[in-house]
Amino acid sequence: MRALYLAIVTVAALSGCSTTQNKNVVRDNPYYAPIYPEDNQAQMVATGSLFNTQFSNDLYADKKALRVGDIITIVLRETTQATKAANSQLDKSSDASLDPIIGLGGNAINIGKEAIQFGASSSSSFSGDSQANQSNSLFGNISVNVTRVLPNGNLVIRGEKWLTLNTGEEFIRLEGLVRPQDVTADNTVESNRVANARIQYSGKGDQQEVQSAGWLTSFFMSALMPF
């Protein structure tokens, strides 16, 4: 019992080193820093033309964000719903017995007045039932930067938005791939058209902390708890 107590205390102490999943999330992370386009040097051509192919656009086409540093607005329209149910049962039983040991003359060998024999039986059963129902929705807008233009023309986008509300902060982070064809005339893209999307919406502060169980509660509710 003492060894079990020491194990619980040790694991609990190690678990206390982390509080919430957003502990290491900080503002002004260089990974999400804005991308500024580099200055384009004037092209020196023999004809003396001032035409710059990097800023060319079709006469009847819209001005779209297709270069590094351009800004695209992602329209968040995310809705998910999942339902899961599981039921399992396990039964096990065993029985073993040994007839009395027979000695010379066909008589049972006794110790005292009891014959030497063996018998054992055991049984165990397990029943588990679980259900989960989860629904999430996220609506809003976030403007991100084009960080890279791939050889096939697809755009790598990344950006974040921070909001300071009363005693806490909320943030939205997004990154993924966008096809130039999906960029509308006003430089917006639906979030369901962002490939390999990574969307993170959470917060920091007192309001967020109270929604997370403490480290000791998390330990007793985890699979590490032996009983």
Side-chain angles (χ1 to χ4, degrees):
M1 187 67 182
R2 183 178 180 182
L4 176 61
Y5 173 77
L6 292 177
I8 294 176
V9 172
T10 302
V11 175
L14 295 176
S15 302
C17 296
S18 59
T19 54
T20 64
Q21 60 180 353
N22 297 326
K23 178 180 178 181
N24 297 324
V25 177
V26 295
R27 300 179 64 177
D28 301 326
N29 189 327
Y31 182 74
Y32 290 94
I35 302 297
Y36 301 101
E38 298 180 356
D39 294 334
N40 295 300
Q41 299 180 356
Q43 295 183 351
M44 303 299 295
V45 293
T47 60
S49 174
L50 300 178
F51 177 75
N52 192 333
T53 57
Q54 295 183 356
F55 292 94
S56 62
N57 199 32
D58 189 86
L59 180 63
Y60 301 100
D62 298 310
K63 187 68 173 180
K64 292 185 178 182
L66 302 176
R67 294 180 296 270
V68 174
D70 288 349
I71 297 176
I72 295 179
T73 300
I74 305 299
V75 182
L76 299 173
R77 296 289 186 270
E78 297 294 327
T79 302
T80 60
Q81 185 173 1
T83 302
K84 181 180 180 181
N87 183 280
S88 60
Q89 291 184 343
L90 177 64
D91 295 318
K92 180 181 179 181
S93 62
S94 60
D95 182 49
S97 62
L98 179 65
D99 294 334
I101 300 176
I102 304 301
L104 298 176
N107 298 320
I109 300 177
N110 297 331
I111 297 181
K113 295 182 179 182
E114 300 294 335
I116 300 177
Q117 58 182 346
F118 172 77
S121 63
S122 65
S123 63
S124 61
S125 63
F126 169 79
S127 178
D129 189 8
S130 64
Q131 293 183 351
N133 190 352
Q134 185 174 1
S135 178
N136 299 283
S137 60
L138 178 62
F139 298 92
N141 298 329
I142 176 175
S143 295
V144 297
N145 277 122
V146 177
T147 61
R148 183 182 175 189
V149 179
L150 301 179
N152 61 355
N154 289 343
L155 311 175
V156 181
I157 60 172
R158 184 169 65 240
E160 66 177 355
K161 176 194 290 186
W162 283 80
L163 301 174
T164 301
L165 304 173
N166 296 329
T167 59
E169 295 180 316
E170 293 186 358
F171 63 89
I172 302 176
R173 286 178 169 175
L174 185 145
E175 57 182 312
L177 298 174
V178 171
R179 296 190 313 164
Q181 298 88 334
D182 294 330
V183 181
T184 63
D186 57 351
N187 287 326
T188 61
V189 178
E190 294 282 343
S191 60
N192 58 2
R193 294 185 177 274
V194 179
N196 200 32
R198 299 291 185 269
I199 303 175
Q200 184 180 6
Y201 173 55
S202 189
K204 300 185 65 176
D206 296 338
Q207 297 295 330
Q208 179 68 23
E209 294 290 339
V210 298
Q211 300 181 44
S212 303
W215 56 266
L216 188 58
T217 302
S218 299
F219 168 74
F220 283 110
M221 295 178 62
S222 68
L224 297 175
M225 191 62 187
F227 50 84

